[in-house]
Amino acid sequence: MEGSYSIKFKPCNVVLIILLITSSTNLIYALEKTHVEFIRTSCNLTTYPTLCFNSLSTQAHAIQTSQKLLAQTALSVTLNTTLTTSSSMVKMSKVHGMNPREVAAMEDCIELLSDSVDKLQKSLEEMSRPGSKDTGLVMSDIQTWVSSALTDEDTCSEGFKDDPKMKSVVRGKTVIVARLTSNALALINSYASLNG
Ligand SMILES: *[C@@H]1O[C@H](CO)[C@@H](O)[C@H](O)[C@H]1NC(C)=O
Ligand SMILES: *[C@@H]1O[C@H](CO)[C@@H](O)[C@H](O)[C@H]1NC(C)=O
């Protein structure tokens, strides 16, 4: 006990520990920077690069520099946002003062979002499946599912074409989901093109 106590506080050990902490902090910082730059560069090929970067940079530690993890995380972010949007639509549809036509349009919209959730979930499961081969066939299924999810979201606000105010509220909510989906599709396409 006495021995280890004195070793801990030898000045040269303290200097060594400080050096170790400083250099590993620098290393972690450099790695983090590389990971963040990877996301910035990859997001640059999407249609909404700022949204892409903002939605993914917080996951830099998990993505590192993997195109596959980047595409998977983009899918996961899109799925989670679609779920949140869908539940906020459910809440809105229960608000008093919405006429039956609007309630019906809202229900259609919720159903479309739920279809999107199914497609995004299926894509994410397929991409995350252990031993998944990333064959052209699997990737092409995923590309099809995600692009039809995108169509669903675009169709959503059309249900409110006779009600500009409601249409703009619904559009505001679904546009983010549609843009995230579009970005995820671009990142999936980019990953798929790497894997032939
Ligand atoms: C993004 O792309 C544009 C041109 O397409 C290029 O000028 C810019 O440097 C790129 N930015 C990054 C961070 O790669
Ligand atoms: C999406 O939600 C799930 C379940 O709550 C969570 O485990 C996952 O980390 C979330 N994905 C992202 C990218 O935040």
Side-chain angles (χ1 to χ4, degrees):
M1 280 310 274
E2 190 75 352
S4 70
Y5 187 84
S6 65
I7 282 168
K8 247 188 231 163
F9 287 94
K10 264 185 191 165
C12 65
N13 285 334
V14 173
V15 169
L16 191 66
I17 287 165
I18 290 172
L19 274 176
L20 270 173
I21 291 172
T22 313
S23 61
S24 57
T25 307
N26 283 342
L27 186 64
I28 290 166
Y29 177 73
L31 269 177
E32 176 78 13
K33 207 174 158 206
T34 308
H35 299 160
V36 169
E37 277 318 302
F38 169 72
I39 294 173
R40 198 192 307 281
T41 312
S42 308
C43 281
N44 207 18
L45 52 86
T46 66
T47 310
Y48 309 100
T50 308
L51 177 67
C52 175
F53 180 76
N54 290 342
S55 65
L56 293 170
S57 58
T58 55
Q59 308 288 324
H61 60 283
I63 296 168
Q64 306 201 345
T65 57
S66 156
Q67 293 259 18
K68 179 171 187 171
L69 290 175
L70 180 69
Q72 275 177 301
T73 309
L75 267 177
S76 175
V77 167
T78 308
L79 174 62
N80 290 3
T81 309
T82 311
L83 283 167
T84 314
T85 304
S86 174
S87 57
S88 93
M89 297 278 200
V90 171
K91 275 193 203 120
M92 273 173 72
S93 70
K94 287 175 179 157
V95 162
H96 293 292
M98 212 182 262
N99 67 40
R101 190 176 39 80
E102 288 170 338
V103 171
M106 197 62 105
E107 278 166 0
D108 285 348
C109 192
I110 291 162
E111 202 176 311
L112 288 170
L113 285 174
S114 152
D115 280 352
S116 293
V117 164
D118 288 346
K119 284 162 190 156
L120 295 167
Q121 223 149 25
K122 208 154 86 167
S123 303
L124 196 56
E125 272 163 25
E126 202 56 50
M127 272 195 97
S128 327
R129 205 153 45 87
S132 152
K133 288 283 192 294
D134 299 330
T135 57
L137 208 60
V138 169
M139 287 315 291
S140 110
D141 277 347
I142 294 172
Q143 286 162 320
T144 308
W145 296 330
V146 178
S147 42
S148 62
L150 191 54
T151 321
D152 288 349
E153 291 145 9
D154 264 356
T155 315
C156 215
S157 58
E158 280 166 25
F160 299 91
K161 59 179 182 293
D162 301 328
D163 186 342
K165 205 176 145 215
M166 229 17 238
K167 181 173 173 158
S168 105
V169 170
V170 171
R171 174 137 187 84
K173 288 189 183 292
T174 51
V175 83
I176 303 289
V177 171
R179 287 178 179 179
L180 285 172
T181 310
S182 154
N183 284 345
L185 184 60
L187 297 175
I188 288 166
N189 289 344
S190 160
Y191 170 66
S193 71
L194 280 182
N195 289 269

